Amino acid sequence: MVEKRKPIHVLEAVNRVMTRLHTSGIEKIPLEEAGGRWLAEPVIADEAVPPFDRSPFDGFAVRSSDTTDASREHPVTLRVIETVGAGHIAGKVPGPGEAVRVMTGTIMPEGTDAIVMFELTKEAEDGSSMTISRSFASDDNVVKKGEEMLKGDEVLASGQRIHAGITAALATFGYAKVTVAKKPRVGVFATGTELLEPGDKLEPGKIRNSNAPMVVEQLKEAGAEPKYFGQLPDDFDHCYEQVTDVLGEVDALITTGGVSVGDFDFLPAIYEKLGAEVLFNKVAMRPGSVTTVAFKDEKPLFGLSGNPSACFVGFELFAAPWVKKAMGAGKPYLKQTKAVLGKSFPKPNPFTRFVRGHASFENGSHTVIPAGLDKSQVVTSLALSNALIVLPGGTRGFEAGDEVDVFLLRGDGGSAFYEPVKERRT
Ligand SMILES: Nc1nc2c(c(=O)[nH]1)N[C@H]1C(S)=C(S)[C@@H](COP(=O)(O)OP(=O)(O)OC[C@H]3O[C@@H](n4cnc5c(N)ncnc54)[C@H](O)[C@@H]3O)O[C@H]1N2
Ligand code: MOO
Ligand SMILES: [Mg+2]
């Protein structure tokens, strides 16, 4: 007699996984390796930025009081006493009627309080003087110390994913090493006697393993350190032995296939023999209803479906946010938005459906259309998708023009929480 599983809502399933302890520990890594990781501590300005008053132009540093009477009719000529480039400090202090030639980024010479760009001056052939025909006030064209940040300011809160702009801020404030959460090591097994590797020639009854390379890639996108342990045939003893063998080496383990109720679906029995705590083994969603998550000694075991689209969705909903939270992400979930359905989806479903779709942002509105065949077994729709369209379960389908919830795949910023979509429409 086949076991009857009780489906739980997606939100409940997500919460059961995400409320478990997430610890990978922290480490300090070189700035140049920190891209894609999450800040485990806030970035604090170690100094003001800019750290000194400086010139924003190639021009002349002047004493504004010398220019008060300058006009087109009565130009003022100042003696140029020195030339200073960025990184150098003026050696002389200009007196009345004197100016210093400075380049962009140069610290303001002592005694000067305004910058006149070259284009507004007339220089003597020999460079010994220059003439201006308008007045300048104190601080005109001076970039002031601390204009951008003051010493001790919080520049960035922790929990943000490090991109090029954050790298620039880290470099500015002297973070040659950056404190980040350690990458969780996540093991991957593909189960199924029918599986061949991508380089193999097809044989009757066999298919190429697409789940393992896909999940490894999803893990990389999520920022984890994937470790692919290979394929396992549908043999209980062999699978059990392999799973127990590798558990010590990883922080989490993902398997694909073998989680349903078939005669050779051994994952449920493996969880039982391991004494793992099964959080759920049926979710009210399509695809991926058989997705199972169990914990063995605080290590999650993600039993993803063998069907490629179900495997993909199960990863994005449960494994990816766990990985990101373990890595210190403040916003571990897929980015969520609303979009207009560009094409009708007439098939009703009692469960929430995550349709692989293509979202585009044009003329100020988001439109999303289903990508390819919407079946759990389908692989190619995944290649065309950049979004999951969330269609709540109910008794009728959806029409073009309906507003729908959308999860954006591979987006840079995520959401802080898994927003409960209506799980059932009436
Ligand atoms: N009696 C029932 N049968 C099934 C149910 C059910 O509720 N009652 N659920 C169906 C649903 S929904 C899904 S989804 C699948 C899930 O099956 P498993 O997770 O146990 O996966 P397998 O049986 O091992 O494989 C399913 C399917 O996927 C192919 N596969 C497996 N691994 C890979 C891989 N690495 N790369 C590409 N394709 C893979 C496999 O050949 C099968 O065709 O169960 C339904 N059945
Ligand atoms: O769990 Mo299956 O993927 O719903 O189709
Ligand atoms: Mg099966």
Side-chain angles (χ1 to χ4, degrees), residues 321-342:
W322 182 89
V323 163
K324 289 182 183 170
K325 194 170 173 191
M327 296 195 63
K331 294 180 175 176
Y333 300 101
L334 288 172
K335 190 164 186 68
Q336 303 178 25
T337 184
K338 302 248 183 228
V340 174
L341 196 58

Side-chain angles (χ1 to χ4, degrees), residues 161 214 217-222 312 315-316 320 324 332-336 356-359 371 380-388 407-414:
R161 197 167 201 177
M214 174 179 77
E217 206 50 41
Q218 285 175 294
L219 281 166
K220 286 191 209 157
E221 281 172 13
F312 182 90
F315 182 93
E316 292 297 330
K324 289 182 183 170
Y333 300 101
L334 288 172
K335 190 164 186 68
Q336 303 178 25
R356 279 75 68 205
H358 191 270
T380 47
S381 64
L382 293 170
L384 306 171
S385 300
N386 63 2
L388 297 175
F407 290 167
L408 299 177
L409 301 168
R410 300 178 289 276
D412 51 353

Side-chain angles (χ1 to χ4, degrees), residues 282 285-291 305 307 309-311 375-377:
K282 186 94 178 166
M285 66 186 224
R286 276 266 128 81
S289 60
V290 298
T291 308
S305 167
N307 276 323
S309 282
C311 179
K375 284 187 168 178
S376 175
Q377 309 91 294

